Structures are given as structure tokens and as C-alpha cells.
């Protein structure tokens, strides 16, 4: 039965499919419960059999998210073949398959761009535009893929629809931007488009210290390269190397740029070393570190916010349980005992606790806001706000200790707390100074 169903998928024979399902109503369910190299929907999507695909999706839409032996979904295969109508049917059932990556780290948008299927790419971008911003496992973006596959029209479409300054200037593992790749591949039209129609950084250096001008020959007999050099110089491009490279050296460097990262197996995408012995961290490792930092900040901020909220609505020493208008205490039920007994200290406690609470909420809000928090500056801001939140909670604790300590021990406690505060402030200043120096150094390097 499964062999007959496979043949029906190859032929796109919808009637044979219906006959097989009449004989065995659970035939398609086996492809959901079991692990098969591919499903009939994969085969029909790859071959563009629209009626067959629609019949399967009407009966078992869950098959749209099944992956084959290479982690490819039916949408991956339809994108590779340029089957626009099949892709539309699959997108109606499960549009989130746009963000699923295959074994090579490519989602359907990456594949459609590499193949130059503009209509299909336009449809995918319209459904899930942010999927185009997801990097591939080689650390390259969808724009790198367009340049490598010489798909200028796809590049123009993506620059118009989803690109921005950050995406256009993204670097792969070797620090190469799409301008480095275009020059290495001698794609004159692509180079002119990037210079004239995008915000490409013409002075960006790769990990070997080469800028765009360094990859171009100074031989005036090559008119195409001469025109490109003049265009780059009009954009204030400069060379990083004082000594011009020979034609043989240029050829070797260009070949290295074109072969690097793209043909490397996934297992080799870890940390690499430069010629000077310094260890480099690839974009995936950086992304993982940022993601861990985000998760840690979210967890700590949530805990601090819960602590501050609990201390605010249930203050230390509790609240009065009755009303007293006799003139001795004059308190009201539900109000804080702490505020009545120690008004100045309670005010300090309230300010510190509220500061910590609002700082924690600010971190949570920034992390869930969708802002591009992968940059060092944003992470630095989040860390500073986190320090404010932690300091606020620490000062709230100290205020409670001062208020609840008996009078005969208060002088010793104040001395100890004073020393502790000085140590705490010193530690915070050292951390702030260290992170600020790192941020300034990173800015200067950029």
C-alpha cells in the first residue's frame, strides 16, 4: 500500500490516492506516527502536483510539518523547485514552516532566494518577513546566499522588502560582508547596486584585515575594476593595506573568500583561530551567548520583580489589624506598622523597593519588546538597569535591618552596614567601569 501511495505521489494521481484511502483509511496517519525518509506530500510538493497536494492537506494537514531525512519540509522542496501554487497551499495550512531550517541551516526563504524564484520568494516574504533575517548555519545571511548564487534580482527584492543597515552589513564567520563576496566573485552589477542603492559599509574589514578596495586590482588596464574602484572612492572607501597586492595574491584571496564558510561542514563551524593566534567566536556562538544572557536577565528580573512586589504590598512588620482613634497610636487597619514606627526609614525603604521594582519591570519590558537587543550597546544598557534593580533590593534589605535592630545594637549594625555599602558601591563602580571600557573599545574597533 505504501509503495502504491508513493507511485501515486510521483504521478500526481489523485484518483489513485482516493482509492488507496478507501482501502486503508489510516494510510496517511502512518506517515505521522512513524519515521519515514519522506512522505507522499514531500514527493508531490517537489514535483508540483497541486491537486494531489491539496487532497492530502485537506485530509491530513499535519503532514505539512513533517520533515524528511534531511530535515526538509514539503515547503522546502516546493521552494527549491519554484512551485508557487503548491507553496501557497502549504502556507495556508502552516505558515510557520517558513522559519524551519533543514540540515544545512536553510529555511524555505533561503532556498527560494538561492534558486532565484522571485514570485515564490515574494510570497514567502509577505507571509513571514522576519524569516528572511534568520542566519544560516554557516553564519551567513540570505543576502550572502543571493550574492554567492549570483541572484541579483532576489537581492534587490530582499533589500527592498526586509533589509536594513544591520542586515546589509552582516558579516559571516570570516568577517566577509556581501560586498566582499561580490568583489571576490567579480559581480559588477551587484557591486554597483550595493554601492548606489544600499547603506553598505565600504570600509568594513574581514577577519584577515581586507577591505573592499584591497580586493581590487590597481591595474588600470582592467576597465571594469577601475570603474568599481572609482565608485568606491566616491563613497570615501579606503584601503587597509599600505602595500598593494599582486594579481596572484588577489586571486588567492578572492578564492579563499568564495570557498570559506560556504563549503565547510557544520561540524567545523565552531571557534576558529586567526593567524595571530587569537581565538575567534563565530556568529552562532555569539548568538548563543546573547540568548543565554537574555534568558538569565529575564529570570533574574522576574524574581526581583516578584520580591519587590511582595515587599511592597506586604511590608515588613505587617499592617495594623484594627482601628485606633484613642489618641495613643491613632492607626488605621490595613496601613503599615513599619511606616508608623519608623517614618524616615520606611520612606527610604519604599524608594529603594520601588526603584528595584520599576527597574526589573523595565528589563522585562525591553526583553519582550522585540527590539534588536543583540547589539553590545543594548546588552550594556540592560546590565546597567539590572545593577540598579539589584542595588535597590539590597538597600531595601538594609533599611529593614536598621529599623528592626534593637537600639543597643544599632550603632554596631550601622558601622557594619556602612562598610558593606562602601564595598558594594566600589564593586558596582568597578563593574560599570569595566563594561564601559569594553563598550568604548568595541566602538573604536568598529
Amino acid at each position: 500500500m505504501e509503495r502504491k501511495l508513493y507511485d501515486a505521489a510521483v504521478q500526481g494521481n489523485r484518483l489513485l490516492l482516493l482509492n488507496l484511502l478507501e482501502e486503508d483509511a489510516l494510510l496517511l496517519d502512518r506517515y505521522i506516527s512513524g519515521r519515514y525518509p519522506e512522505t507522499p506530500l514531500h514527493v508531490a510538493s517537489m514535483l508540483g502536483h497541486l491537486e494531489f497536494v491539496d487532497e492530502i492537506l485537506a485530509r491530513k494537514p499535519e503532514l505539512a510539518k513533517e520533515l524528511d531525512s534531511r530535515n526538509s519540509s514539503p515547503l522546502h522542496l516546493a521552494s527549491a523547485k519554484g512551485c508557487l501554487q503548491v507553496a501557497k497551499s502549504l502556507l495556508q495550512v502552516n505558515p510557520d514552516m517558513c522559519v524551519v531550517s533543514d540540515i544545512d541551516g536553510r529555511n524555505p526563504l533561503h532556498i527560494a532566494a538561492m534558486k532565484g524564484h522571485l514570485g515564490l520568494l515574494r510570497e514567502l516574504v509577505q507571509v513571514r518577513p522576519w524569516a528572511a533575517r534568520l542566519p544560516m548555519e554557516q553564519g551567513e545571511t540570505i543576502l550572502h546566499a543571493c550574492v554567492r548564487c549570483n541572484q541579483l534580482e532576489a537581492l534587490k527584492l530582499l533589500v527592498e522588502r526586509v533589509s536594513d543597515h544591520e542586515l546589509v552589513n552582516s558579516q559571516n564567520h570570516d568577517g566577509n560582508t556581501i560586498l566582499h563576496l561580490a568583489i571576490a566573485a567579480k559581480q559588477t552589477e551587484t557591486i554597483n547596486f550595493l554601492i548606489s542603492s544600499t547603506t553598505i559599509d565600504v570600509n568594513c574589514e574581514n577577519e584577515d584585515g581586507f577591505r573592499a578596495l584591497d580586493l581590487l586590482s590597481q591595474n588600470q588596464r582592467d576597465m571594469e575594476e577601475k570603474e568599481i574602484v572609482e565608485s568606491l572612492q566616491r563613497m570615501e572607501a579606503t584601503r587597509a593595506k599600505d602595500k598593494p597586492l599582486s594579481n596572484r595574491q588577489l586571486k588567492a584571496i578572492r578564492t579563499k573568500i568564495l570557498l570559506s564558510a560556504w563549503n565547510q561542514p557544520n561540524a567545523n563551524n565552531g571557534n576558529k583561530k586567526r593567524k595571530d593566534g587569537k581565538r575567534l567566536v563565530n556568529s552562532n556562538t555569539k548568538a548563543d551567548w546573547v540568548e543565554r544572557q537574555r534568558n538569565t536577565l529575564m529570570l533574574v528580573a522576574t524574581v526581583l520583580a516578584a520580591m519587590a512586589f511582595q515587599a511592597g504590598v506586604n511590608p515588613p512588620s505587617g499592617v495594623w489589624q484594627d482601628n485606633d482613634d484613642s489618641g495613643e497610636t491613632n492607626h488605621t487597619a490595613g496601613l503599615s506598622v513599619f511606616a508608623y514606627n519608623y517614618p524616615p526609614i520606611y520612606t527610604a525603604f519604599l524608594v529603594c523597593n520601588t526603584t528595584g521594582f520599576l527597574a526589573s519591570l523595565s528589563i522585562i519590558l525591553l526583553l519582550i519588546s522585540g527590539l534588536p537587543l543583540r547589539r553590545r550597546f543594548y546588552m550594556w544598557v540592560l546590565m546597567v538597569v539590572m545593577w540598579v534593580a539589584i542595588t535597590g533590593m539590597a538597600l531595601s534589605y538594609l533599611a529593614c535591618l536598621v529599623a528592626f535592630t534593637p537600639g543597643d545594637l544599632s550603632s554596631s549594625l550601622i558601622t557594619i552596614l556602612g562598610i558593606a555599602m562602601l564595598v558594594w558601591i566600589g564593586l558596582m563602580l568597578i563593574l560599570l567601569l569595566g563594561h564601559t571600557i569594553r563598550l568604548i573599545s568595541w566602538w573604536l574597533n568598529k
Side-chain angles (χ1 to χ4, degrees), residues 93-387:
V93 173
N94 195 335
D96 288 331
M97 296 309 294
C98 288
V99 302
V100 175
S101 299
D102 61 13
I103 196 171
D104 296 316
R106 301 166 186 169
N107 64 34
L109 281 80
H110 296 142
I111 296 174
M114 292 163 59
K115 296 293 184 178
H117 300 312
L118 298 182
L120 181 53
L121 179 60
R122 189 176 292 106
E123 183 72 21
L124 294 171
V125 169
Q126 182 176 353
V127 174
R128 287 291 184 271
W130 53 273
R133 305 182 67 86
L134 298 177
M136 297 182 288
E137 287 209 358
Q138 296 89 351
E140 299 196 338
T141 67
I142 192 171
L143 302 185
H144 286 88
C146 290
V147 176
R148 285 194 178 277
C149 298
N150 198 16
Q151 299 293 347
L152 178 56
E153 295 304 319
L155 178 65
K156 291 180 179 179
L157 171 64
L158 291 166
V159 168
E160 177 186 354
R161 294 291 185 89
V162 299
S163 183
D164 56 16
H165 180 77
E166 182 178 2
L167 184 61
V168 167
N169 290 285
S170 295
Q171 297 173 270
N172 64 10
H173 292 166
D174 298 311
N176 293 313
T177 65
I178 53 178
L179 183 59
H180 287 97
L181 296 183
I183 293 176
K186 297 183 179 181
Q187 297 177 10
T188 306
E189 292 185 15
T190 302
I191 296 170
N192 290 330
F193 168 73
L194 293 176
I195 295 175
S196 62
S197 303
T198 69
T199 58
I200 192 73
D201 183 2
V202 295
N203 289 318
C204 182
E205 295 184 16
N206 64 10
E207 296 296 350
D208 293 323
F210 292 107
R211 297 179 183 176
L213 275 180
D214 296 316
L215 303 178
L216 291 167
S217 172
Q218 293 187 347
N219 187 355
Q220 300 299 318
R221 290 177 296 179
D222 192 332
M223 296 305 299
E224 286 188 351
E225 292 201 8
K226 180 182 177 181
E227 292 177 0
I228 296 174
V229 169
E230 292 175 352
S231 299
L232 287 172
Q233 289 176 342
R234 283 196 296 270
M235 300 298 293
E236 300 182 354
T238 58
R239 296 181 182 271
K241 305 296 183 181
D242 297 330
K243 183 179 179 181
L245 301 175
S246 65
N247 290 336
R248 179 177 297 179
Q249 290 174 319
L250 282 175
K251 184 177 180 180
I253 293 169
R254 289 172 174 175
T255 302
K256 177 184 176 182
I257 291 175
L258 292 176
L259 295 179
S260 64
W262 189 255
N263 295 324
Q264 292 179 0
N266 296 339
N268 293 334
N269 286 336
N271 294 347
K272 301 177 291 182
K273 284 187 177 180
R274 282 168 42 174
K275 293 180 181 179
D276 58 6
K278 294 182 180 180
R279 184 160 296 277
L280 298 173
V281 182
N282 64 34
S283 59
N284 287 338
T285 305
K286 292 179 180 178
D288 293 341
W289 176 84
V290 172
E291 191 63 30
R292 289 195 299 270
Q293 290 291 96
R294 287 166 58 93
N295 294 337
T296 301
L297 287 173
M298 177 64 79
L299 176 61
V300 175
T302 303
V303 173
L304 291 178
M307 292 170 55
F309 178 82
Q310 183 64 24
V313 300
N314 188 21
S317 298
V319 296
W320 295 107
Q321 301 299 315
D322 58 351
N323 295 319
D324 185 1
D325 299 329
S326 62
E328 297 180 2
T329 57
N330 286 332
H331 59 258
T332 304
L335 298 183
S336 172
V337 178
F338 187 8
Y340 175 83
N341 292 329
Y342 309 98
I345 300 178
Y346 178 77
T347 301
F349 162 79
L350 199 60
V351 170
C352 296
N353 187 72
T354 304
T355 301
F357 181 65
L358 293 179
S360 302
L361 291 183
S362 300
I363 294 173
I364 297 174
L365 180 61
L366 288 172
L367 291 175
I368 66 176
S369 64
L371 294 175
L373 299 179
R374 291 184 178 274
R375 295 187 177 184
R376 289 179 180 267
F377 175 75
Y378 294 121
M379 294 303 298
W380 180 82
V381 171
L382 289 175
M383 290 299 298
V384 171
V385 178
M386 177 58 72
W387 292 337

Side-chain angles (χ1 to χ4, degrees), residues 49-73:
H49 297 316
L50 179 59
E51 292 184 359
F52 195 93
V53 169
D54 288 339
E55 188 64 39
I56 291 182
L57 292 177
R59 293 174 177 272
K60 292 297 174 186
E62 305 94 322
L63 286 175
K65 63 181 181 180
E66 290 295 314
L67 306 179
D68 64 9
S69 57
R70 292 187 57 81
N71 284 349
S72 296
S73 68

Side-chain angles (χ1 to χ4, degrees), residues 8-14 17 40-41 43-58 78 83-92:
V10 172
Q11 301 169 16
N13 194 330
R14 177 174 171 272
L17 170 63
L41 187 58
V43 177
S45 299
M46 179 176 60
L47 298 177
H49 297 316
L50 179 59
E51 292 184 359
F52 195 93
V53 169
D54 288 339
E55 188 64 39
I56 291 182
L57 292 177
C83 302
L84 177 57
Q85 298 304 322
V86 172
K88 286 184 177 180
S89 297
L90 293 168
L91 289 172
Q92 289 178 356

